[in-house]
Amino acid sequence: MNMQRSLSFGAAGLFAAALLLTTTLPLDLQANYTFLGKVDSTEATPSRLILHCEGGSQVQITFLQPNLFRYTLRRAAYPESLLEYPLARLEWDPIPVEFTENDTRVMLKSNELALDIQKSPCRLTVRNRQGDVVSEDDPGMGVGWDGKEVRCWRTIAPDEKFFGLGEKTGPVNKRGREWVMWNDDYPGYDDRTDPLYESIPFFIGLRSGNAYGIFFNNSYRTTFNMGAGNRRYSSFAAEQGSLDYFFMYGPEISRVVETYTQLTGRSPMPPLWSLGYQQCRYSYYPASEVLRVAKTFREKHIPADVIYLDIHYMDDFRVFTFDPERFPNPRALMNELDSMGFKVVTIIDPGVKVDTTYRVAREGLEGDHFVRYPDGELYIGEVWPGPSYFPDFSREQTRKWWAGLLDEFLNIGVDGFWNDMNEPAVWGKAFPQEVIFYDGGKFSSQKKMHNLYGFLMCRSAAEGLNRLHSEERQFLLTRAGFAGIQRYSAVWTGDNIASEEHLELGIRMMLGMGLSGVPFVGMDVGGFMGTPSPELFARWMQVGALSPLFRNHTAFNTCAQEPWAFGEDVERISREAVEMRYRFLPYLYSLFYEASQTGAPLWRPLFWYDAEDEQVYDWDYQHEFFVGEKVLAAPMTREGQYVKKVYLPEGRWLDANTERVCEGRQAIYVDAPLDRLPLFLREGAIVPSREPMQFVDEKPLTKLILDVFPSTEPNTFQYYEDDGKSFDYRQGIYRITEFNCVHHDGELHFVKRRAHDRYNAPERELEIRFHAISKAPREVMLARQPLQSYGYDEQKRILIITIPDKGNVQSLIIR
């Protein structure tokens, strides 16, 4: 007993000594950081506040919108120009802000936010206009630096959650881990792997019901500590570059994403064919094999729009070439595939083979298009072609040259491009950090430009092809990227594994990408590495059918992974999944339009609409997601399981498979045999669909189907149409049809209204399916005239009304 007391006293003594040491040593000496000190003077201009701090540091805070401000630390010893590549918008109109100052504090207020700045030391607290703390600097550290490294520490609330950060593994909530932004080629990653192919230094915080976002505008290697190893703070840091961040307030998560995509840009409307099913493998060759696969899709009546050519189409892996033996007549191949309704997407790697007989290499050398060491020597790295040069996509002339090479492929019939190996990846995984990029005349090293490489490669393609083919939308797919990549390309989650764990991980990663401003995202259906079981493949196809990007892909020397490769039952289930995809195209395309206008992802986590319901964060429900506003998917992700536990958020829900109606805020169990994807409609849903086709241009839409689950609250869906091909929609050549429905006082009111009508769609019928209708109606009125022809399924409780889709306004009243 005495010995225990002695040991306890000794530990307490050591703790007291450590505490005394902590309180007597200067804080900057303890951590080797210099922390932002007191404010010496202030300078206020419209929308902007400049804080001159001790030691010559300066903080500039600029309101860009009432819910958006920019915070920039400037240090005289380390001048650095601010990053512009990710920003879609550089100029903002001044907004009115209120500025007050006393001896201890400075206050800066917009219509939505109040910035409370403590003067000594300089620390920032962000409040909403109700006085709630939304986010705040850690009082002891706040902002600091150690040489070129910069860091911001912020307090972390017990209930605070973090989402986004781009392409990251782990749970959807990123709290409790440290995350690194440094694009990395990591095949066969797992749930703990970090970093991966994409770096998006943006996260959403949720604190006491208030959502906010921080975009750290820095392309150097950055680190986000979201409460890892401590309970005191979250932080974000960069090894070099400016401490320059944008802070945006919701309070809804949807508004944070909307504001972030105002800043970094939104996805343009994709070509409609790119929403179809896409078949890929490493690799289909020779040309006869490509045609065999395409013909088999048509013979088996499995819809498909795209077939890919991986690196074996090239002549000895020389980019922008075709192997003369495997593909002797590329133009004829493209024409034959086109006649079957197939588009062709070719892989494009940045590495250009070192070969003086190779035109692309010669042109690159003559045009000074390749990156170099600081002493001027050309950098040569090893990748698929062997020794290779790498284009400097930060140079405008290089981007134009590269786009011209892509244009040559378009002219022989290629339809889209798959940018791979663009982290940039080299054998040995060590692209030298000394290598210099032009960077607009700044001549920056790989330290700054690494994370931007894939982004700029996609920019080269998108901007160049849009200039050279201004009449037609292009499809680009990329493995690597940075914040703002959504302006240029779709993204997939890289080299995954054929396993249940990776099916689930892919769902979470796609949700994270959507929250990070990237709506056009997918994963390799079936898994890239290894071979899925027939059951796993069937489940993956069901998930893929709802994915923004629906692409089946597998590795070299793996088993066949086409939909017919797993037996007749799985072939049937796969066909049904793909047909469901094509039925849903009117709905999905409308969601892409919403994404182009607001940045909202197609896939939305449960907390997108129900952030204050703690059940939506439960691990059991991490793989449920909304597709749009009122469609909820709860896919099966485990083999041998045929009953699914589903959490339904608040509201009333219709099981789309059984027509059963359930109350929300509860978990239910539903049957999920292998051929069934659990799918639910929230009360008020209006979901457009169509009859399936073998490819998107096979036949026009002659019947638009609307599935309606009426609500006592008015609900609206905006159905979007355009030609699916051109950029005419940017000149207003499109149609938006609003469908409204409400169930009130025993009457069901349904109204169709053309909200925008400058696109001439083919004539068609409207087939409206009203679900959960308890009995046959006694009267149906169309434009105040009795409608005699309609159908009612008493067993399913579905009322079906078919009318011509004519005129700007049509109304139904059902009694």
Side-chain angles (χ1 to χ4, degrees), residues 269-270 272 275-276 543-550 578 580-595 601-604 625-628 631 687-689 717-720:
M269 288 301 294
L272 183 57
L275 274 60
V543 173
L546 298 176
S547 299
L549 175 73
F550 187 10
V578 179
M580 180 179 73
R581 167 61 166 223
Y582 282 77
R583 292 180 198 276
F584 265 33
L585 282 180
Y587 182 62
L588 295 173
Y589 197 59
S590 297
L591 295 182
F592 268 100
Y593 175 73
E594 183 184 358
L602 279 71
W603 277 19
R604 303 164 191 178
F625 50 88
F626 286 98
V627 183
V631 177
V687 181
S689 63
F717 183 83
Q718 289 194 334
Y719 171 52
Y720 175 85

Side-chain angles (χ1 to χ4, degrees), residues 320 359-360 363 400-410:
F320 299 114
R359 177 177 71 92
V360 176
E363 288 182 0
K400 289 182 177 179
W401 168 67
W402 194 260
L405 296 170
L406 295 169
D407 183 49
E408 294 176 11
F409 263 39
L410 287 182

Side-chain angles (χ1 to χ4, degrees), residues 61 63 69 106-110 113-117 124-127:
I61 299 175
F63 265 99
F69 67 86
V106 180
M107 295 292 295
L108 196 63
K109 294 182 180 180
S110 71
L113 291 174
L115 309 189
D116 182 352
I117 303 161
L124 170 66
T125 298
V126 181
R127 292 186 171 88

Side-chain angles (χ1 to χ4, degrees), residues 163-234:
F163 312 108
L165 292 173
E167 188 179 62
K168 294 300 179 186
T169 58
V172 178
N173 181 3
K174 303 306 179 188
R175 180 161 176 167
R177 282 182 59 179
E178 186 168 81
W179 306 94
V180 175
M181 301 293 163
W182 189 253
N183 291 355
D184 189 18
D185 171 18
Y186 202 114
Y189 53 88
D190 62 30
D191 191 47
R192 301 293 299 180
T193 304
D194 186 64
L196 285 175
Y197 312 93
E198 296 257 345
S199 293
I200 301 180
F202 164 74
F203 70 89
I204 299 167
L206 185 64
R207 181 171 182 159
S208 301
N210 289 308
Y212 66 90
I214 291 178
F215 169 51
F216 186 18
N217 187 39
N218 187 308
S219 62
Y220 288 87
R221 186 183 183 98
T222 55
T223 304
F224 289 75
N225 184 315
M226 313 315 272
N230 82 96
R231 298 180 180 180
R232 173 176 173 173
Y233 65 79
S234 65

Side-chain angles (χ1 to χ4, degrees), residues 331-639:
R331 189 183 299 274
L333 172 65
M334 305 305 163
N335 288 340
E336 187 166 357
L337 289 167
D338 183 66
S339 71
M340 292 189 282
F342 278 96
K343 306 296 184 182
V344 177
V345 174
T346 58
I347 195 169
I348 299 291
D349 289 348
V352 175
K353 186 177 180 66
V354 175
D355 180 354
T356 56
T357 68
Y358 169 34
R359 177 177 71 92
V360 176
R362 289 200 313 272
E363 288 182 0
L365 293 171
E366 291 165 1
D368 194 24
H369 295 308
F370 300 134
V371 296
R372 297 176 179 269
Y373 288 104
D375 61 4
E377 180 181 334
L378 283 162
Y379 167 64
I380 297 174
E382 292 273 348
V383 71
W384 292 117
S388 302
Y389 305 119
F390 287 80
D392 181 357
F393 294 114
S394 72
R395 193 169 172 266
E396 184 178 1
Q397 300 94 318
T398 302
R399 293 198 296 271
K400 289 182 177 179
W401 168 67
W402 194 260
L405 296 170
L406 295 169
D407 183 49
E408 294 176 11
F409 263 39
L410 287 182
N411 290 334
I412 66 169
V414 172
D415 300 284
F417 299 102
W418 166 24
N419 291 317
D420 198 16
M421 303 292 286
N422 55 344
E423 290 72 30
V426 291
W427 305 154
K429 301 185 71 170
F431 200 104
Q433 298 204 25
E434 311 82 33
V435 167
I436 298 297
F437 295 76
Y438 179 69
D439 189 22
K442 303 180 188 72
F443 297 99
S444 301
S445 76
Q446 167 80 350
K447 290 183 179 180
K448 175 185 177 183
M449 304 305 293
H450 174 85
N451 283 337
L452 295 168
Y453 195 84
F455 171 91
L456 291 172
M457 183 181 181
C458 293
R459 176 183 172 183
S460 303
E463 290 183 349
L465 295 178
N466 289 346
R467 182 181 67 253
L468 295 168
H469 293 266
S470 59
E471 75 288 351
E472 190 172 4
R473 304 176 209 171
Q474 308 301 325
F475 171 71
L476 299 176
L477 179 63
T478 188
R479 191 169 74 177
F482 192 70
I485 188 62
Q486 66 272 7
R487 304 202 300 268
Y488 305 126
S489 182
V491 173
W492 97 102
T493 59
D495 297 344
N496 61 355
I497 296 173
S499 70
E500 299 169 330
E501 292 79 10
H502 263 260
L503 171 54
E504 294 179 343
L505 176 58
I507 292 171
R508 301 195 301 275
M509 291 172 68
M510 288 172 61
L511 289 170
M513 288 292 281
L515 291 166
S516 305
V518 183
F520 202 177
V521 61
M523 56 177 155
D524 286 344
V525 169
F528 177 70
M529 302 175 68
T531 300
S533 69
E535 182 171 333
L536 179 59
F537 180 80
R539 294 300 194 190
W540 219 317
M541 287 290 284
Q542 292 167 348
V543 173
L546 298 176
S547 299
L549 175 73
F550 187 10
R551 186 181 82 142
N552 175 349
H553 185 37
T554 188
F556 193 63
N557 282 335
T558 58
C559 297
Q561 199 163 287
E562 294 77 35
W564 55 83
F566 297 90
E568 291 184 1
D569 284 346
V570 172
E571 179 182 328
R572 174 185 58 80
I573 292 168
S574 297
R575 181 184 297 105
E576 291 171 354
V578 179
E579 287 178 346
M580 180 179 73
R581 167 61 166 223
Y582 282 77
R583 292 180 198 276
F584 265 33
L585 282 180
Y587 182 62
L588 295 173
Y589 197 59
S590 297
L591 295 182
F592 268 100
Y593 175 73
E594 183 184 358
S596 75
Q597 299 301 299
T598 70
L602 279 71
W603 277 19
R604 303 164 191 178
L606 297 189
F607 53 80
W608 182 270
Y609 297 107
D610 302 272
E612 296 186 15
D613 181 357
E614 285 300 317
Q615 287 296 310
V616 301
Y617 304 105
D618 193 290
W619 175 259
D620 287 348
Y621 313 123
Q622 293 279 291
H623 309 111
E624 293 182 30
F625 50 88
F626 286 98
V627 183
E629 183 180 1
K630 294 184 182 294
V631 177
L632 177 67
M636 294 296 296
T637 56
R638 294 281 168 167
E639 294 183 69

